[in-house]
Amino acid sequence: MEFELFCDVESLDLARSGAIWGNVWIDISGCSFPESNWNDMPVAFLVELLDAVAYVSAAEGRRRRVRFFDGPFWIDLVGQGVGVISISVNAHGAGRSATASAHGVTQSLSAVRDDLVRVCLERGWGEQADVRRLQAQHR
């Protein structure tokens, strides 16, 4: 697969601020980005990424940038039409890119979404704003 999202749900922790932190990263063309087990806000990040994929998938030429919340890292998405998305990242000066099916990307994101929601609900975090937003994106 050219693109896959990973989240270590066992690493999730609720900060005093209400933000959920844990390990989240992507694999793009066989490379982890920003790095394997990157510690960030996976629920908030996934909410933004799901929105962006839905937006760019709807029409050729649509663009969206999704930033990780920690560090100067981002993913650029561009709709290529016919169910294809171009994905690029800013990888320490040497960007990586891939082309993937919108369906495949959505499947990867949906699997992580389902795991995140399940674990957050099990831990009693269901009222957290980003968890509610993530639940609302269930399609």
Side-chain angles (χ1 to χ4, degrees), residues 107-124:
Q107 280 188 312
S108 175
L109 301 183
S110 295
V112 172
R113 179 199 59 222
D114 293 347
D115 283 347
L116 275 173
V117 168
R118 177 186 51 79
V119 170
C120 288
L121 293 176
E122 287 172 357
R123 295 184 181 183

Side-chain angles (χ1 to χ4, degrees), residues 19-118:
I20 297 171
W21 287 85
N23 297 342
V24 62
W25 68 99
I26 67 166
D27 182 283
I28 182 166
S29 299
C31 293
S32 295
F33 179 79
E35 65 186 30
S36 184
N37 294 303
W38 179 255
N39 192 264
D40 211 305
M41 295 190 296
V43 178
F45 177 73
L46 183 52
V47 166
E48 298 300 321
L49 192 53
L50 282 164
D51 280 345
V53 168
Y55 177 78
V56 303
S57 297
E60 184 176 353
R62 284 189 172 188
R63 299 175 178 274
R64 243 333 132 73
R65 176 169 284 176
V66 179
R67 294 183 180 276
F68 281 86
F69 291 88
D70 191 23
F73 304 109
W74 64 82
I75 302 168
D76 286 324
L77 305 165
V78 180
Q80 299 297 312
V82 201
V84 176
I85 300 173
S86 172
I87 304 163
S88 60
V89 299
N90 68 318
H92 309 292
R96 297 250 178 221
S97 62
T99 302
S101 78
H103 179 73
V105 170
T106 301
Q107 280 188 312
S108 175
L109 301 183
S110 295
V112 172
R113 179 199 59 222
D114 293 347
D115 283 347
L116 275 173
V117 168
R118 177 186 51 79

